[in-house]
Amino acid sequence: MCDENEMSKLSSSNFTESANLILDKPLVAQRMEVEVAAGQRYIEVLKRFITKPGAAYVVLVDGVVVDQNEIIQPGVEIRCVPQIIGG
Amino acid sequence: MKTNQGLTQFEMRSEFLAGNSPYSGKVLRVNLSTGEIWVDEHSDDFFRKWIGGRGLIVYYLLKETAPNIDPLGPDNLLIFAPGILTGTVLPGTGRHAVGGKSPLTGALASGEAGGWWGAECKQAGFDAVVIQGKAEKPVYLWIKNGGAELRDANHLWGLKTGDCQEEIRKELNDEKIRVAQIGPAGENLVRFAAVMHDINRAAGRGGLGALMGSKNLKAVAVRGKFKIGLADKEIMKITQKWITANYKDMMGWAIQYGTSGSVKGNHDGGVTGIRNYQDGSLEGIEKLDATSIFTWLIKDRDTCNRCPVRCKLVAEHLGDVYIDPRYGGPEYESIAGLGPMCQINDPLVVGKANELCAAYGLDTISTGGTVAFTMECVDKGLLNGFEDMPKFGDGQSLLDSIEKIAHREDLGEWMAEGSARMATRIGMESDQMLAVARGQELPYHDPRLKNAIGMGYAVSATGADHMANLNDTFATWDGSDICVRLRELGIETPLKLWGISDHKIEAFFYETAFKNFLDSAVICHFYPYEFHHMVDALNAAGGWNMDMHEIISIGERIINTARMYLLREGFTAEDDMLSARLFQPTKVGPIAGKAMTPEYLKDALQKYYRRMGWFEDGFPTEETLVRLKLINL
């Protein structure tokens, strides 16, 4: 989980262009909605928030699946869904 | 053939009896045509080379069956194969494999099941059971403490799985007997009938239940007292301690909800096929997710031998729609196949459909796929003249279809053959609506999102198989167990999501080798074991000095043996392909507009063939066969 200092570094007040990141259980302990700076790779931002070992996730940007190596564009809504295989 | 003649007893070797070996060295052989029962003795070298499970299955099939036999004829083999680690103290080893020539695909059928049967079989003194021939009348095989006997099963024929297990336990006066069996679907030779274990664990894929039914074999009941030992217990403790310390963190998802916890996430992420792979989303999907069904449908949790995770669900519902808790609860694949695939979001319908599949002995993946294909045919007006045909979104018509399939009644006679044969029968370009690979219905991991898994579906000797495969979305996230394993081999991670790059083919090569090894050992894929853990576990089991390269070679050997079996049965590189629907993108939803082309897939397969040491036509080169010690097989 990201601590408060980390959160403030990522918050929109430090950047002119930002995107909206929404994470919910079970990825994180409590639902969180935070603005993050555009121009970074999705994976760089998400790794700071999601630290559960052994798990995998798919990133959705405005409801569409994207590669985590792509660059965050201003104004988008980012969500992340956990992956499980088998059963 | 005489039945109920008493157990034919076999002597166990001293190392096994002393608890210093995980295998007895004995494979039980049964000829149902003659009633003969004997054992094959195998050496330490055999187990080091083939490990057990899928490895043993492909060895016997290639070695002992003639080319192009009828999968439902007496010459096919039905093989129950625990692995070298099954029944040991290592968590995640409560599994075994079942195999034979597939009645659905004509290729390899090899399915793995959890529960208790595999460990009990080894405790009864046998590393595997290989069954040939056909009994004149229904029988079941009773295995106990180094002995075996064929018993009359006339009174069991026609029973649902729950009732059959109760009858066998009552007849043999032991509530702890573990039963592998077929339900009415297997008796009626439904081509996607499953072999059920503990009544709710399926070796589901490829129609192994039909193969068992074709032999007039209703069940294999086992009970044993031998302890499954290890050559070096101290080495095993290293891996045991690691998993004990880490499983709660690393497998939290399984502890919390089991695979049902992924229903909404997989749907939102474009993983799940919806309405026969036509749509991008299903309204009301949240009703099927664990966060919903756990509050009112899930009564309890169950587990497998030596597993502290307890990911198995137990569903119960009282009232007009009764769901019998004996049959467990729906896992992700079952929910996806019997829910979104058929445009159904009612958890009561899905729970009941899952129960019916377990009671009749049906593979939930192919049942969902076949019914959904039928629903689309009805939707498009390609089917007429049957009573009450299934319709998208109509839960009762799904439940009715399952009954009809199991009994081969009305349209169920067509559906019981699987969707690919149905398409051939219907014609009218209905094959454009198929979601199959090698004639087997797809699991619910969409290859339009997961391109490598699509390549795995296409090339696998077992047809569409999501387990012995590389899961793109796991290889894309750096913290996943797959990425940890790949880094152990020096492969840079994470991989890019879209496409099948050379980098991804390298990862696919190693991961499928590892998964084929796991299915031979036989170990639960949910456990986040890395190569070095498996090296330690195998060396502890056999007293060997393996390294991770030997584990990779074992996996390669099994894939190559399965490939040779496939080619011998007449399949060619042209058959390494997905069906038409899987190249058609959805118009909306999380993966709208995304799909490989057949040409792109063929190109990726050529790269994979080269990496495997195969020719352009998909045949292994002599050099590959020599390297893997397969030249004299």
Side-chain angles (χ1 to χ4, degrees):
Chain A
M1 200 84 67
C2 187
D3 63 24
E4 285 183 17
N5 289 337
E6 191 78 11
M7 291 273 267
S8 67
K9 281 183 206 165
L10 293 162
S11 72
S12 61
S13 60
N14 296 326
F15 304 97
T16 53
E17 290 186 314
S18 63
N20 194 32
L21 172 65
I22 302 169
L23 295 175
D24 206 347
K25 293 177 183 177
L27 305 173
V28 288
Q30 296 297 330
R31 178 185 159 88
M32 63 167 66
E33 190 165 342
V34 59
E35 288 186 39
V36 297
Q40 311 172 78
R41 292 183 192 281
Y42 290 103
I43 196 163
E44 289 164 2
V45 172
L46 291 168
K47 279 173 83 171
R48 295 176 199 154
F49 289 89
I50 305 170
T51 56
K52 285 197 171 184
Y57 309 93
V58 165
V59 181
L60 296 170
V61 174
D62 293 336
V64 175
V65 177
V66 300
D67 189 303
Q68 297 162 21
N69 292 295
E70 289 178 21
I71 304 293
I72 298 175
Q73 299 299 314
V76 298
E77 182 183 276
I78 309 161
R79 289 177 184 265
C80 205
V81 291
Q83 290 288 287
I84 296 170
I85 195 161
Chain B
M1 180 182 61
K2 290 179 180 172
T3 52
N4 302 31
Q5 297 290 297
L7 294 163
T8 302
Q9 209 66 36
F10 299 96
E11 203 169 309
M12 296 290 122
R13 66 191 181 99
S14 58
E15 296 97 318
F16 180 68
L17 290 174
N20 295 326
S21 173
Y23 55 88
S24 67
K26 288 182 167 51
V27 171
L28 183 67
R29 303 296 303 264
V30 179
N31 186 331
L32 292 171
S33 298
T34 63
E36 289 172 284
I37 297 176
W38 72 101
V39 292
D40 289 345
E41 305 271 359
H42 287 293
S43 67
D44 187 71
D45 287 346
F46 177 87
F47 287 98
R48 184 161 178 167
K49 187 172 178 182
W50 296 104
I51 299 295
R54 182 173 288 189
L56 190 139
I57 287 166
V58 294
Y59 168 84
Y60 268 97
L61 282 177
L62 196 61
K63 190 100 174 160
E64 290 204 4
T65 62
N68 301 312
I69 57 168
D70 177 1
L72 297 175
D75 295 334
N76 199 0
L77 299 178
L78 175 64
I79 303 168
F80 291 84
I84 194 160
L85 294 175
T86 305
T88 65
V89 293
L90 187 68
T93 56
R95 293 179 72 79
H96 68 282
V98 186
K101 182 173 182 177
S102 167
L104 183 66
T105 68
L108 172 67
S110 179
E112 296 74 42
W116 307 83
W117 192 95
E120 198 75 30
C121 179
K122 284 185 70 176
Q123 287 162 10
F126 299 105
D127 301 313
V129 183
V130 179
I131 299 163
Q132 63 198 70
K134 178 182 180 178
E136 291 169 3
K137 57 183 184 178
V139 295
Y140 75 95
L141 179 62
W142 168 223
I143 302 170
K144 184 182 181 185
N145 297 335
E149 172 193 18
L150 286 167
R151 294 181 65 86
D152 176 54
N154 270 314
H155 59 301
L156 304 174
W157 206 251
L159 292 184
K160 291 179 184 174
T161 54
D163 299 333
C164 176
Q165 178 171 278
E166 279 182 22
E167 283 297 315
I168 288 175
R169 286 176 170 175
K170 201 188 305 174
E171 181 175 311
L172 298 171
N173 196 27
D174 187 344
E175 281 300 305
K176 292 184 175 174
I177 285 169
R178 302 296 176 182
V179 179
Q181 60 165 313
I182 53 169
E187 296 169 12
N188 293 323
L189 309 183
V190 175
R191 287 189 188 269
F192 47 91
V195 177
M196 303 302 298
H197 305 80
D198 306 306
I199 78 173
N200 53 39
R201 267 81 164 200
R205 311 248 56 205
L208 290 160
L211 165 53
M212 194 160 165
S214 74
K215 296 189 173 304
N216 273 334
L217 180 65
K218 177 67 175 173
V220 181
V222 294
R223 187 80 170 98
K225 66 175 184 185
F226 300 121
K227 188 181 172 193
I228 307 306
L230 297 165
D232 189 333
K233 296 173 183 66
E234 292 305 310
I235 296 179
M236 187 64 96
K237 282 180 186 170
I238 300 169
T239 304
Q240 265 181 285
K241 278 184 184 169
W242 177 81
I243 195 66
T244 303
N246 289 291
Y247 83 91
K248 284 183 182 169
D249 280 340
M250 298 185 77
M251 302 175 75
W253 61 268
I255 294 168
Q256 188 176 17
Y257 288 132
T259 59
S260 71
S262 66
V263 171
K264 187 167 185 315
N266 277 348
H267 165 275
D268 292 352
V271 175
T272 312
I274 298 164
R275 212 168 68 96
N276 199 30
Y277 284 91
Q278 296 181 94
D279 289 356
S281 63
L282 174 68
E283 196 177 330
I285 185 66
E286 60 280 354
K287 290 193 282 184
L288 295 177
D289 194 61
T291 49
S292 168
I293 65 173
F294 261 67
T295 57
W296 63 286
L297 200 58
I298 303 305
K299 174 198 173 192
D300 201 358
R301 303 292 287 272
D302 195 5
T303 194
C304 302
N305 186 55
R306 297 281 182 192
C307 181
V309 172
R310 300 180 65 82
C311 76
K312 178 83 180 160
L313 308 186
V314 179
E316 182 179 42
H317 189 264
L318 305 174
D320 289 347
V321 180
Y322 174 64
I323 297 178
D324 187 339
R326 291 181 304 168
Y327 293 106
E331 309 297 328
Y332 165 70
E333 298 293 337
S334 306
I335 294 173
L338 303 169
M341 187 68 169
C342 297
Q343 205 187 348
I344 288 166
N345 62 14
D346 182 344
L348 208 50
V349 169
V350 172
K352 186 65 186 176
N354 180 71
E355 181 223 83
L356 289 176
C357 286
Y360 289 129
L362 283 165
D363 172 30
T364 53
I365 296 175
S366 279
T367 299
T370 300
V371 173
F373 168 78
T374 308
M375 287 171 165
E376 189 176 344
C377 288
V378 172
D379 205 31
K380 291 187 162 59
L382 304 183
L383 277 169
N384 293 294
F386 296 97
E387 294 171 18
D388 303 325
M389 293 187 289
K391 295 178 186 65
F392 282 123
D394 180 346
Q396 189 57 50
S397 76
L398 167 66
L399 301 179
D400 292 345
S401 292
I402 293 171
E403 298 273 358
K404 288 177 182 175
I405 289 168
H407 297 101
R408 281 186 174 269
E409 289 170 354
D410 195 46
L411 184 53
E413 176 67 34
W414 289 40
M415 289 192 277
E417 293 290 297
S419 58
R421 283 181 172 81
M422 269 190 90
T424 303
R425 195 165 181 175
I426 293 167
M428 296 185 281
E429 299 185 349
S430 59
D431 60 340
Q432 296 298 303
M433 293 143 43
L434 281 174
V436 299
R438 218 175 290 290
Q440 176 161 264
E441 290 74 20
L442 247 63
Y444 301 105
H445 298 270
D446 196 324
R448 294 170 296 191
L449 167 68
K450 302 181 179 186
N451 296 167
I453 224 170
M455 183 173 75
Y457 290 158
V459 78
S460 171
T462 54
D465 175 359
H466 60 297
M467 298 304 287
N469 212 324
L470 174 74
N471 196 316
D472 304 61
T473 52
F474 279 67
T476 307
W477 187 268
D478 219 11
S480 74
D481 53 351
I482 288 178
C483 284
V484 172
R485 275 199 295 272
L486 292 173
R487 279 201 300 275
E488 207 177 352
L489 294 161
I491 296 175
E492 188 186 335
T493 63
L495 279 67
K496 288 194 172 134
L497 177 61
W498 303 107
I500 306 175
S501 61
D502 291 351
H503 187 191
K504 202 179 260 189
I505 282 174
E506 192 69 5
F508 181 90
F509 169 84
Y510 284 113
E511 187 66 8
T512 52
F514 186 71
K515 295 285 178 58
N516 273 271
F517 159 78
L518 288 184
D519 287 340
S520 301
V522 180
I523 297 173
C524 177
H525 288 216
F526 295 161
Y527 275 79
Y529 290 126
E530 298 161 31
F531 278 101
H532 68 92
H533 297 126
M534 291 296 95
V535 167
D536 286 345
L538 278 193
N539 288 338
W544 299 320
N545 57 348
M546 281 192 185
D547 58 19
M548 68 179 182
H549 299 291
E550 188 167 344
I551 285 184
I552 293 163
S553 292
I554 291 167
E556 277 189 89
R557 181 177 301 124
I558 292 159
I559 293 169
N560 275 274
T561 308
R563 184 72 184 177
M564 290 192 292
Y565 178 74
L566 195 67
L567 296 166
R568 193 196 71 172
E569 296 304 309
F571 290 88
T572 71
E574 290 298 309
D575 299 306
D576 294 344
M577 190 40 64
L578 300 171
S579 61
R581 171 58 48 84
L582 307 165
F583 298 111
Q584 302 160 7
T586 59
K587 291 187 176 65
V588 294
I591 56 168
K594 296 282 189 184
M596 291 187 286
T597 64
E599 294 71 28
Y600 183 88
L601 177 58
K602 278 184 184 172
D603 185 51
L605 280 163
Q606 282 300 322
K607 291 178 188 170
Y608 172 68
Y609 293 171
R610 283 197 290 278
R611 182 63 185 86
M612 286 297 290
W614 297 352
F615 293 111
E616 280 182 18
D617 61 4
F619 276 76
T621 63
E622 186 173 349
E623 186 186 352
T624 300
L625 298 179
V626 169
R627 180 173 65 81
L628 297 172
K629 299 176 184 169
L630 291 173
I631 206 73
N632 294 319
L633 184 64

